[in-house]
Amino acid sequence: MSQLTDERVIAISVFLVFLAGSLFLSMLTSPDLQDGADDFYAWHSSLPGTGNQIAPPSAMRQGLALTADFLSAAGVLYLCGVVATASYDGVLLVAATALSPLLLKVWLAERLPAGPGWSLGDILARYLTPGPARLAAGVATLVVSLPLLVAQLIPIGQITAALMGLPEDQGEMAGIALVGVLILSCAAIGGVRGSTLLQIVKTAVLVLIGPLLAMAVLASFDWDYGAVLARAAQGSGTGEGYLAHGHLFGTGLTGRLDTLSLAVTLLLGTAFLPHLLMRLSTSRTAETARRAGSWAVSTICVLCAAAVVVGYGIQALVGAEGLRGAGPHGGDNLLLVAAALNGGDPGSPDNPGTLLTFVCCTAFLAVLASASVLLLSGSAAIVHDMGRRRNSPSGQSVTHRPRQARLAMTAVGAVCISLAVLGRHAGAQFWLTVAYTEAATVVLPALAYSLLWRDFTVRGLRWCVYGGTLVALTLLALSPAVSGGPHALWPDADWNLVPLHSPGLITVPAAFLLGWAGTRLPTPLLQRRSAAEPQAGPQQAAEHEDLLAGSGSGRARGSASGPGSGAGTRRD
């Protein structure tokens, strides 16, 4: 047996042991083994000796889990890769990502209503009529979570194929399918408790390996960061121009607007991911939420600084020729720098070594944690927000049995695995752009209006969510990210009419405008509907009375009562 074969067998064996450990950890946290854990979506364990009383999470635990929610595996790979290939433009995107948790801490920590909940729909149902609010929130969650989950599967499929030495195209397809099934199994076994534990472990591992990789890069250049930049500029083939802006979308006005649009989309979209908002809303108090935000801000700043160093190190150690075969902005770029630091050929990550195996295991853990939360978020959107109980009052106790939740999760996972296999050539950055654009376009206006505008109505929410989704998907379909470019979803076709790869600068204001128009435009049919329903019950009659008496949108914001009291509910 050759030395290469021995190294590959050892690497695959370590990887398989790591997979077995992840499955075992998911089994330990399974709701099937917890006393009284009838609800698959329960975020936290019960306090010992208190029956089913929910144990409030500590600020540190919330902060570590929030950090993992912010930094998905695909996002980390993308940021490292985009710094390597786009230099200054990539650093701008890293800065936008680092500022995102600060936005969440300053603006959302005190405004998000605290209380029990399972989904984004539960947050909106505290201010709007529960049924239509949850339905719209379920749609918003799915249009954000599905492409973000696809973005996690594509790079880990490439990494798995490279580690196991599988053929390129067939290997990527097999890697995506294999990893997707394993992740789906772990998420279905562990439930929310398992995914939360994996998120915390993921943060701890990233905080360890991120600075270690950055230090390894600096050590390769005698701890001289200037030498790293000089070698990166030389390896890029563009010389001093490498450190200038414009490498991502060009130096013209359109290119600058495109880069700015992507940075703004990352800043806003990352802070308003549905699963992240749901985790923050489970904080015990506003003070706990702020402290959790502080943990997330400090941790993400450290990881983003490491991503910049590693990104330039990728360009310095691998060079433009090696990066050209790794795909645009991500993919297996970390494998290339790991191979270079491990003493192998930086142009080919096919020779596994200790560092390379460790990076593969870390990448799988990051994808496993991120994908588990996204699978649960999508499953909760289907079962809780779009199911038969979506009309339940906010705060009412609802039990979700594991069987129903797992069936919904299997459906979400099957769709995402299929999309990842079919859309793998576009790369993870396309699906990340779709996810963050949808989050900034749909979730941000819906939540901002719900929290800040007393007259916001269900009709405004529908226009905001459904209209904003349609606008975002239409502009993305007509953008160079879908057709007309070498790394587009359909590179051989050309129907792009919108010059922006990330149309967030257009879609976010459009969604805010739609939400305002849906609320403010007159609704003459409302009174006719009221007159046409003489058999309505006393609650519906009271709602229509409030509307006709000039209560604006019918908002009845309560005082300090809890979310289960019905206070703060708008009627439409």
Side-chain angles (χ1 to χ4, degrees):
M1 185 178 291
S2 66
Q3 180 180 0
L4 175 59
T5 304
D6 290 339
E7 290 179 354
R8 188 174 301 284
V9 169
I10 294 173
I12 294 176
S13 300
V14 171
F15 190 62
L16 291 177
V17 170
F18 185 82
L19 295 182
S22 301
L23 284 170
F24 181 70
L25 186 64
S26 299
M27 292 174 63
L28 286 179
T29 56
S30 174
D32 299 328
L33 303 180
Q34 306 293 325
D35 293 334
D38 291 331
D39 200 311
F40 190 75
Y41 301 116
W43 285 83
H44 307 293
S45 302
S46 300
L47 287 170
T50 59
N52 291 331
Q53 182 181 349
I54 298 299
S58 65
M60 184 179 72
R61 179 181 175 184
Q62 282 283 75
L64 293 176
L66 276 174
T67 301
D69 287 336
F70 269 107
L71 293 177
S72 66
V76 173
L77 294 172
Y78 175 73
L79 290 177
C80 292
V82 78
V83 170
T85 56
S87 186
Y88 175 85
D89 294 343
V91 174
L92 177 63
L93 299 184
V94 172
T97 303
L99 289 174
S100 187
L102 186 62
L103 172 65
L104 180 133
K105 176 190 173 183
V106 172
W107 192 79
L108 279 176
E110 293 187 1
R111 290 180 170 86
L112 273 183
W118 294 270
S119 64
L120 176 64
D122 281 339
I123 298 177
L124 299 182
R126 294 167 192 166
Y127 300 97
L128 298 165
T129 306
R134 286 199 179 98
L135 183 60
V139 173
T141 300
L142 288 177
V143 297
V144 173
S145 299
L146 290 181
L148 191 56
L149 180 53
V150 173
Q152 312 306 310
L153 296 177
I154 292 176
I156 195 61
Q158 297 171 344
I159 290 174
T160 303
L163 178 67
M164 295 187 173
L166 300 176
E168 289 186 1
D169 199 39
Q170 294 83 358
E172 288 183 12
M173 295 172 61
I176 291 172
L178 174 63
V179 172
V181 171
L182 288 172
I183 290 173
L184 180 59
S185 301
C186 289
I189 293 172
V192 172
R193 296 180 187 88
S195 67
T196 300
L197 179 59
L198 287 172
Q199 289 285 64
I200 294 173
V201 175
K202 163 190 165 182
T203 300
V205 172
L206 287 179
V207 169
L208 174 65
I209 194 172
L212 280 179
L213 276 177
M215 288 189 291
V217 169
L218 291 174
S220 300
F221 294 89
D222 296 327
W223 305 97
D224 186 353
Y225 188 58
V228 176
L229 296 179
R231 178 70 67 83
Q234 179 183 357
S236 68
T238 58
E240 294 295 333
Y242 171 71
L243 300 177
H245 65 82
H247 291 284
L248 191 58
F249 298 122
T251 57
L253 177 61
T254 301
R256 294 184 180 184
L257 285 176
D258 208 353
T259 304
L260 176 63
S261 180
L262 181 56
V264 172
T265 301
L266 277 177
L267 172 64
L268 299 178
T270 306
F272 288 91
L273 294 172
H275 61 278
L276 189 148
L277 299 175
M278 194 59 248
R279 189 183 299 279
L280 188 67
S281 72
T282 60
S283 299
R284 178 174 33 181
T285 61
E287 176 63 25
T288 304
R290 285 195 303 271
R291 290 171 57 196
S294 298
W295 277 94
V297 169
S298 57
T299 307
I300 289 174
C301 285
V302 171
L303 292 176
C304 286
V308 172
V309 177
V310 172
Y312 279 121
I314 293 174
Q315 185 65 264
L317 294 171
V318 178
E321 290 297 326
L323 288 176
R324 194 170 292 116
H329 317 315
D332 54 1
N333 286 335
L334 275 183
L335 295 188
L336 299 179
V337 73
L341 292 172
N342 208 49
D345 180 12
S348 173
D350 292 334
N351 297 339
T354 304
L355 182 59
L356 184 61
T357 304
F358 187 52
V359 168
C360 289
C361 292
T362 303
F364 178 80
L365 173 63
V367 170
L368 173 61
S370 300
S372 296
V373 172
L374 293 170
L375 283 168
L376 288 160
S377 180
S379 174
I382 295 173
V383 174
H384 184 69
D385 288 342
M386 306 172 73
R388 292 177 297 177
R389 299 180 182 179
R390 64 176 179 270
N391 293 310
S392 303
S394 176
Q396 180 178 351
S397 178
V398 178
T399 299
H400 306 92
R401 297 298 179 181
R403 181 175 179 273
Q404 188 179 17
R406 284 166 177 156
L407 286 175
M409 185 184 297
T410 302
V412 172
V415 170
C416 290
I417 292 173
S418 301
L419 288 175
V421 170
L422 296 175
R424 66 190 183 280
H425 295 299
Q429 70 276 3
F430 167 75
W431 298 101
L432 287 173
T433 301
V434 174
Y436 291 130
T437 301
E438 286 290 348
T441 302
V442 175
V443 181
L444 167 59
L447 191 62
Y449 277 145
S450 298
L451 296 178
L452 302 177
W453 191 14
R454 297 180 62 87
D455 295 332
F456 189 51
T457 63
V458 167
R459 190 175 75 143
L461 177 68
R462 286 174 175 147
W463 285 34
C464 179
V465 172
Y466 304 139
T469 299
L470 182 61
V471 170
L473 292 180
T474 301
L475 293 183
L476 284 169
L478 298 177
S479 72
V482 173
S483 67
H487 303 299
L489 191 60
W490 285 285
D492 297 330
D494 188 1
W495 60 71
N496 71 86
L497 302 176
V498 180
L500 301 179
H501 289 74
S502 175
L505 286 181
I506 302 173
T507 60
V508 174
F512 272 104
L513 182 61
L514 286 170
W516 175 87
T519 300
R520 284 304 188 194
L521 290 182
T523 54
L525 292 178
L526 184 60
Q527 296 184 9
R528 300 177 192 173
R529 188 182 305 158
S530 177
E533 295 178 357
Q535 303 299 326
Q539 181 179 358
Q540 288 84 354
E543 293 173 6
H544 287 299
E545 251 182 56
D546 287 341
L547 287 168
L548 299 178
S551 59
S553 63
R555 174 154 195 168
R557 184 188 284 272
S559 55
S561 53
S565 64
T569 302
R570 297 192 197 97
R571 311 292 180 185
D572 190 10

